Amino acid sequence: MEMNAPSTRNPIDDNRTGLIGKPIDRVDGRLKVTGKAPYAYEVQEAPGKPAYGFIVEATIAKGTVADIDASAAEKAPGVLLVMTHRNAPKQAPWGPIDAKDRFARSSPQLASDKVRYYGEAVAYVVAESFEAARSAAALVRIRYEAAPGDYDMAAAQAKAEKPKDDEMQKADSRIGDFETAFAGAPVQIDATYTTPHHIHAQMEPHATLAWWTGDSVTVHCASQLLESAQNAVANTLQLSPSKVRIVSRYIGGGFGGKLPVYGDVMLSAMAARQLKRPVKTALTRQQMFHFTTHRSQTIQRLRLGATRDGRLTAIGHDSLSHSARFDDFYETASTQTRSLYAALNRLTTHRSVKLDLPISDSTRAPGEAVGMLALEQAMDELAEKLGLDPIELRRRNEPTTDPEKNIPFSTRQLLRCMDEGAERFGWRRRSATPGSLREGRWQIGLGMAAATRSNLLMDAKCAVALDRQGVLTARMSMTDIGTGSYTVFTQIAAEMLGLPVDRVRIELGDSDFPETPGSGGSWGAASAGSALFDACTNLRGQLARRLGAKPDDVVFADGRVTAGAHSESIGVLAGTIGLRAEGQIKKGDMAKKFSQQAYGAHFAEVAVDMDTGEIRLRRMLGVFAAGRILNMKTATSQATGAMIWGVGSALFEDAVVDTRFGAFVNHDLAEYHVPSHADIPAIEAVFLEEVDDKTNPLKIKGVGELGICGAGAAVANAVYNATGVRIRDYPLTLDKVLGLQARQG
Ligand code: MOS
């Protein structure tokens, strides 16, 4: 089916089993908590004892490997192979830079003596054990000739360029006459916000197990997008994609860092071919910081012009981020500003600076996550200047249609989210005067911010099979990166066929299965779920025919197929050889006819120590409207998890580049701070009732990334409300609180 018209009433709406929306436990939960869910590094299916690879990373950020001496490493106990640029197999060159699927690009390893970024692979040691490989890796002697590079985005700002427009994204947008309207606005905000580099910090580090069968390679790895990974391996090793099988059954967090595959995949595959045995390679936590992607830092200028009664007349958002010298990804931080608030005159821009840093790419809601840190603080600043409640300011600028695309919104419950949140959170108790609420040494503040994240649907396929026991098996290349894909798909299939959940098997994470867009951009449940819905619809048609009835007259419930007086067990109808059906979803043009976003509102209460500047989050609430919710438990977990990342972006996360050396200095989880349990007290997420028939047949929207968008700004606005100091440089740390307090005297 293709999404060219609103979705009509269907069995998901009927929800006969009551499973749709039900907060059932994860179907893979037991496997995971008992340690029985095999992640890539733990897979025991390899034909033969694996050898272990360890990657030697460059210790310069730019230059040349002038000399490399592997002789000591080669002689070390248990070593099977030391690969360097001198003996690495030939691979396709990097790129192309502007490939349609950037995650499918060729990514050769040890391809030359050139070093492009700190931490790039310069050697690779394979041995009988991980320990032997790692210890031998330390024996590889390398002499570098370093070249000067650019590592400091602010310093290199003058070299910023406008990125190329593409199908998904135009770099700039301009409506009306922003400059004149802003200059003439009676109330103005002109403020610059900065956000630092962010690391994905997934629990599961990247790991690969690869082996060859003839001229075909099987790769178990941690990947969000299996077809992209398959094509990346095929492109790099110059194979047909049909010779590459990627398997990722369980994945310990993605956050965008597993959209690409990395050198662990390519090197394991090459070594396995050469050694004629399986090879495993895992990255250490420290290696993850440079060897995988990260989110670029940003510098964002917000200019808001308003009338005295709080109507925006001009809204401008200019965003700067970096891309690696040999890449062109940029952080789309100004994007949400194109659709969130009404204003007749609008300007959004993106600029990008090439730096000699590791590749920056998608990280947890690329664009909005950091864009909202800036926009939603600026709105708070404007509300204060106007003497308006921040919710009231947003109410006065609620657009009736998408202000830049000039098309209707599919559904938009931003105001309801704010009102519901204000009520539940006790927003009334907030004092508009900053610094006026105290409990002993603690200054108390409340803040809020809007949430929004684009909604996407991608083409996907699914195959289902029903056996004579009445067990349904569905297969897709889709992944579950910890979000609950296995569980929500189980619920969809069970509802469609009227089966209990224990008679549904969802099989994901194998590139041999029907093609899906995988997990990314919050599109997974909608895209793969709709393909599954379509496959189940086709299966229902076959079952109805076997019963001699029209599909619309048939009831699927309790493992039975019933039409009037005819009723049969679903397994009996499937027959001894069973039934098979396929399904697919094509995105169609509904996204061009309707502006599709999920919305929400965040509320935060913080306490700030007057003497030390220490900031403690006290409680937080997110109220969201994201279409139909398939499973209230997994959706809520995703939302609170995302909110916690939002808190991290406000208060902790900061990957610091030593601009002398082009390396992240705090490259471990002791020094790169993410929220821990003690940082996160009462935190709650609520979903409003919503059904969006413009998005997909399930009438859902993407949930995964919504909760991070705006969450950090709510915390920042609460810090301002507590202290009266406006910190525009994320993360908000105690030194910045004290520094600004001192300046304000
Ligand atoms: Mo997401 S950052 O598109 O995996």
Side-chain angles (χ1 to χ4, degrees):
M1 61 192 305
E2 187 162 342
M3 206 57 202
N4 288 320
S7 181
T8 50
R9 185 167 184 91
N10 66 46
I12 301 296
D13 297 302
D14 296 340
N15 197 14
R16 250 168 211 290
T17 60
L19 271 171
I20 300 299
K22 198 173 173 185
I24 66 166
D25 290 345
R26 279 162 197 268
V27 296
D28 51 341
R30 182 174 292 269
L31 275 182
K32 284 189 170 171
V33 298
T34 54
K36 287 185 185 134
Y39 292 78
Y41 202 67
E42 305 156 350
V43 166
Q44 300 295 321
E45 295 163 30
K49 182 183 174 299
Y52 294 78
F54 192 86
I55 294 162
V56 181
E57 294 181 296
T59 54
I60 60 165
K62 190 175 186 177
T64 309
V65 174
D67 193 25
I68 188 158
D69 178 3
S71 55
E74 280 163 349
K75 278 181 237 142
V79 170
L80 302 163
L81 171 69
V82 181
M83 204 185 277
T84 69
H85 70 270
R86 290 182 178 154
N87 62 352
K90 193 174 150 19
Q91 302 149 71
W94 162 260
I97 192 167
D98 56 353
K100 194 157 181 284
D101 176 359
R102 70 181 184 279
F103 305 119
R105 291 181 295 192
S106 167
S107 171
Q109 303 295 311
L110 307 172
S112 82
D113 59 356
K114 293 283 175 290
V115 174
R116 301 176 298 173
Y117 56 93
Y118 188 98
E120 186 169 21
V122 288
Y124 175 62
V125 180
V126 187
E128 289 292 349
S129 70
F130 173 79
E131 292 75 12
R134 186 178 197 169
S135 116
L139 301 175
V140 179
R141 293 280 159 260
I142 304 168
R143 189 167 61 76
Y144 296 101
E145 270 161 21
D150 288 323
Y151 312 116
D152 185 339
M153 192 173 83
Q157 255 186 91
K159 297 183 202 167
E161 287 178 3
K162 182 181 165 189
K164 263 198 259 156
D165 293 340
D166 68 25
E167 209 181 300
M168 296 276 277
Q169 174 84 15
K170 280 198 171 30
D172 295 357
S173 74
R174 181 182 275 284
I175 309 258
D177 180 352
F178 170 79
E179 284 80 1
T180 307
F182 179 70
V187 184
Q188 297 173 336
I189 294 291
D190 183 349
T192 297
Y193 305 83
T194 58
T195 65
H197 298 285
H198 289 154
I199 299 298
H200 301 96
Q202 313 93 327
M203 276 170 73
E204 179 206 18
H206 293 260
T208 298
L209 166 62
W211 69 82
W212 291 76
T213 316
D215 59 354
S216 296
V217 65
T218 300
V219 179
H220 288 259
C221 64
S223 167
Q224 296 175 227
L225 316 175
L226 299 201
E227 273 81 12
S228 297
Q230 180 183 33
N231 288 319
V233 173
N235 288 335
T236 307
L237 303 186
Q238 297 170 302
L239 302 166
S240 154
S242 65
K243 303 286 185 196
V244 181
R245 180 182 172 211
I246 306 284
V247 190
S248 281
R249 294 197 189 110
Y250 299 99
I251 300 157
F255 305 126
K258 291 168 182 171
L259 294 168
V261 288
Y262 303 91
D264 55 308
V265 167
M266 307 305 172
L267 291 165
S268 300
M270 290 192 290
R273 178 148 61 174
Q274 194 167 329
L275 295 171
K276 297 188 167 46
R277 67 186 272 196
V279 173
K280 277 180 161 190
T281 309
L283 300 186
T284 65
R285 178 60 65 184
Q286 290 196 326
Q287 287 178 328
M288 301 270 291
F289 280 72
H290 297 103
F291 203 70
T292 76
T293 56
H294 65 278
R295 188 204 306 275
S296 166
Q297 63 183 157
T298 69
I299 300 175
Q300 301 178 54
R301 183 181 183 195
L302 261 295
R303 283 174 291 173
L304 306 177
T307 59
R308 294 209 186 279
D309 67 350
R311 318 266 162 198
L312 284 165
T313 53
I315 185 163
H317 193 160
D318 304 298
S319 176
L320 177 73
S321 64
H322 93 268
S323 71
R325 177 83 55 203
F326 53 93
D327 194 25
D328 63 0
F329 179 84
Y330 64 99
E331 187 73 26
T332 52
S334 303
T335 307
Q336 74 286 316
T337 307
R338 295 174 182 171
S339 66
L340 196 52
Y341 300 118
L344 283 177
N345 303 285
R346 324 174 62 88
L347 175 66
T348 68
T349 70
H350 295 96
R351 295 293 177 269
S352 175
V353 189
K354 301 265 187 198
L355 296 179
D356 299 289
L357 290 176
I359 306 181
S360 53
D361 208 302
S362 300
T363 306
R364 306 183 215 117
E368 289 96 326
V370 287
M372 294 291 275
L373 287 174
L375 173 63
E376 289 299 285
Q377 249 212 98
M379 286 295 280
D380 203 64
E381 299 198 38
L382 179 62
E384 189 189 30
K385 224 175 194 180
L386 290 162
L388 267 185
D389 183 273
I391 295 177
E392 183 54 30
L393 172 63
R394 287 164 176 87
R395 194 186 314 283
R396 290 185 189 182
N397 292 287
E398 174 72 0
T400 49
T401 54
D402 186 296
E404 301 210 2
K405 292 183 187 157
N406 272 319
I407 52 174
F409 293 105
S410 60
T411 48
R412 176 171 162 126
Q413 297 203 69
L414 175 62
L415 297 184
R416 264 201 70 203
C417 290
M418 292 192 300
D419 290 341
E420 176 79 20
E423 186 60 34
R424 286 175 180 250
F425 200 70
W427 181 246
R428 250 177 286 113
R429 294 207 303 275
R430 171 183 177 267
S431 162
T433 313
S436 56
L437 203 60
R438 288 199 186 164
E439 287 176 20
R441 308 182 359 189
W442 295 100
Q443 298 178 292
I444 312 299
L446 268 60
M448 66 81 56
T452 184
R453 173 71 181 165
S454 57
N455 181 67
L456 294 166
L457 177 69
M458 308 290 272
D459 296 354
K461 291 181 179 164
C462 177
V464 292
L466 183 67
D467 71 15
R468 63 172 168 175
Q469 269 83 43
V471 172
L472 182 92
T473 304
R475 291 179 156 184
M476 291 181 276
S477 75
M478 176 63 187
T479 51
D480 186 332
I481 56 177
T483 47
S485 313
Y486 280 111
T487 309
V488 297
F489 297 152
T490 300
Q491 289 169 278
I492 292 167
E495 170 56 39
M496 289 297 288
L497 277 309
L499 291 169
V501 291
D502 61 4
R503 275 164 66 185
V504 174
R505 306 221 166 101
I506 303 292
E507 297 185 2
L508 305 176
D510 192 325
S511 64
D512 281 353
F513 295 165
E515 184 171 353
T516 68
S519 300
S522 296
W523 62 54
S527 307
S530 296
L532 171 64
F533 167 86
D534 191 48
C536 291
T537 303
N538 293 337
L539 190 62
R540 284 166 63 110
Q542 291 186 38
L543 288 160
R545 272 196 295 284
R546 290 210 165 171
L547 202 65
K550 281 192 231 140
D552 287 347
D553 301 335
V554 175
V555 173
F556 296 80
D558 306 318
R560 298 191 71 79
V561 185
T562 307
H566 297 282
S567 181
E568 191 52 88
S569 131
I570 198 168
V572 169
L573 271 189
T576 43
I577 54 167
L579 281 174
R580 288 173 188 282
E582 285 171 4
Q584 67 170 327
I585 185 75
K586 289 190 175 166
K587 60 182 168 190
D589 62 4
M590 285 305 273
K592 295 204 176 83
K593 295 180 191 158
F594 293 90
S595 177
Q596 300 182 13
Q597 283 81 223
Y599 293 94
H602 293 282
F603 294 82
E605 178 179 325
V606 301
V608 182
D609 187 302
M610 293 174 63
D611 298 321
T612 66
E614 178 186 355
I615 302 167
R616 305 299 307 183
L617 179 72
R618 284 189 148 189
R619 61 195 180 97
M620 196 162 180
L621 168 71
V623 177
F624 305 103
R628 168 179 280 134
I629 297 304
L630 292 170
N631 179 320
M632 199 51 89
K633 185 184 282 186
T634 55
T636 307
S637 292
Q638 285 213 75
T640 51
M643 289 164 69
I644 291 166
W645 282 121
V647 175
S649 69
L651 301 180
F652 308 112
E653 288 191 73
D654 185 5
V656 180
V657 173
D658 184 327
T659 53
R660 295 168 303 170
F661 303 116
F664 293 117
V665 286
N666 53 340
H667 60 304
D668 61 38
L669 293 183
E671 298 286 325
Y672 181 85
H673 292 169
V674 299
S676 64
H677 282 284
D679 298 313
I680 303 297
I683 189 161
E684 191 192 355
V686 173
F687 284 92
L688 298 184
E689 188 89 8
E690 185 172 290
V691 174
D692 192 332
D693 65 357
K694 316 293 192 303
T695 53
N696 53 68
L698 307 172
K699 305 176 187 174
I700 65 174
K701 288 177 180 171
V703 165
E705 295 168 308
L706 175 63
I708 192 174
C709 303
V715 174
N717 294 337
V719 170
Y720 176 76
N721 184 246
T723 60
V725 298
R726 184 62 78 174
I727 305 170
R728 300 189 183 92
D729 176 29
Y730 290 96
L732 280 54
T733 47
L734 48 78
D735 53 306
K736 294 173 191 171
V737 175
L738 293 180
L740 283 172
Q741 267 176 345
R743 259 200 273 163
Q744 287 187 0

